Amino acid sequence: MDEATLADRLRQLGLSEKEIDTYLTILEHGEAKASTVADDAGVSKRYVYSVSETLDDRGFVEVNDHVVPTTIRAHPPEEVVDKLTTELQALEPALTDRYGDVPEQLQEFEVIKTRTTVLKRIRELLERAEDEITLSVPATLLEEIEDGLRETVERGVLVILLVSGEKSPDEERFDGVASVVRAWGENAPLIVTADRRQGLFAPNEMLVRTNSGKRGIAIAQQQLVPIIVGSFFGNYWPMATQTYVTDPATLPETYTGFRHAVLQATLHLEAGTDVRVTAQARPVRTDDYATVEGLLVGVRQSLLEPTRDTFAVENALIVETDDGETVTLGGEGAFVEDFETRRVTLSTE
């Protein structure tokens, strides 16, 4: 390491230019009188005494003021490094505690250059998801994220999975891995979204070939991620074949993810179960939430075959209220339905 680089490292430890010059001079002598250090470093003798006290406090040198004349001895470099390392290690728990209290600030946009980073970001999205994951993934990548998918399902998160590059995967392998699975023999891009708020997109070539030169992008912007969700359900989901569907959940159950409520409502409706809906909802384009209650009489959805939708991302519950009125409930951002819903409880009559 040359002298300029050494000075840069000492500067990063908080030493000033004159402190660095003085310390390196002492280090070259090993031990020297203050006057000798002052002459060689080009500073005053008084300054050498002042700086030496600071360097003594930090463990770089030892001031021998019990002898005449006073000398300054440099500690062996390995002792200095050991002392600094111990101090930094002691600082780590305090910094970690403070950092742990601060929510992680996600980058709105991140360009991803490697397959390893793609996998890392997928696992992070799976861990963060609270309501819903949509995922289009090459069959060759599935095994590497399977454990994360199982843990996500176990937390009660809806997992919508499209496996590309394989026409007929084994249906049994998806039990506990996802809520609904479709397979497509073509090579679709990797698409991941979590709770309609965070997303990831990467070309298929980036995942199946090394050094492809392709790039992925991670997005954490609430205005853009729903567009990725719409692309997933509008462009890729209809092209794939339904491979696996979870069993109906035991009711009653409350859902904050509306698509999850629609999935379970559809499964119970197909099973012939009488389902009662209790929803916290507000008339579309108004501000006041109220309780809407009634009997489930139909759904509009594109998650399961046979689909019952009029457009690709439509999800709605059709409810006959206790007042005898038939209304439609939609999820976040609903504008076609009568009500926008933020929480739904499904129960048996």
Side-chain angles (χ1 to χ4, degrees), residues 95-143:
L95 293 176
T96 301
D97 287 344
R98 282 184 174 271
Y99 178 78
D101 293 335
V102 179
E104 183 178 358
Q105 300 298 313
L106 299 174
Q107 298 182 53
E108 285 196 343
F109 299 96
E110 176 193 5
V111 176
I112 300 175
K113 300 179 181 179
T114 67
R115 184 179 187 273
T116 300
T117 303
V118 168
L119 284 168
K120 180 181 178 181
R121 295 292 177 262
I122 293 174
R123 294 183 181 113
E124 289 173 350
L125 291 177
L126 293 177
E127 291 174 0
R128 294 188 185 118
E130 297 178 357
D131 294 321
E132 172 186 298
I133 284 285
T134 62
L135 174 63
S136 165
V137 61
T140 54
L141 199 69
L142 184 59
E143 185 175 349

Side-chain angles (χ1 to χ4, degrees), residues 275-326:
V275 177
R276 184 169 181 80
V277 176
T278 304
Q280 289 184 0
R282 62 183 179 184
V284 170
R285 300 184 183 89
T286 66
D287 296 325
D288 298 326
Y289 281 91
T291 301
V292 177
E293 295 185 80
L295 181 67
L296 178 69
V297 295
V299 295
R300 293 178 188 157
Q301 58 83 30
S302 56
L303 293 173
L304 302 176
E305 294 290 353
T307 58
R308 299 184 178 90
D309 60 323
T310 55
F311 56 92
V313 292
E314 184 176 23
N315 290 280
L317 300 177
I318 305 172
V319 177
E320 184 179 310
T321 69
D322 295 339
D323 297 330
E325 182 183 8
T326 299

Side-chain angles (χ1 to χ4, degrees), residues 181-235:
V181 181
R182 289 191 181 187
W184 190 28
E186 301 299 324
N187 293 322
L190 180 130
I191 301 173
V192 191
T193 68
D195 299 335
R196 292 166 50 90
R197 288 170 172 78
Q198 300 170 46
L200 172 63
F201 178 91
N204 183 274
E205 296 91 333
M206 182 179 178
L207 306 171
V208 299
R209 293 207 316 265
T210 58
N211 302 320
S212 67
K214 302 294 183 179
R215 297 291 184 263
I217 185 168
I219 300 174
Q221 193 179 87
Q222 295 186 25
Q223 291 80 10
L224 294 181
V225 176
I227 297 174
I228 301 177
V229 176
S231 177
F232 175 87
F233 282 111
N235 297 327

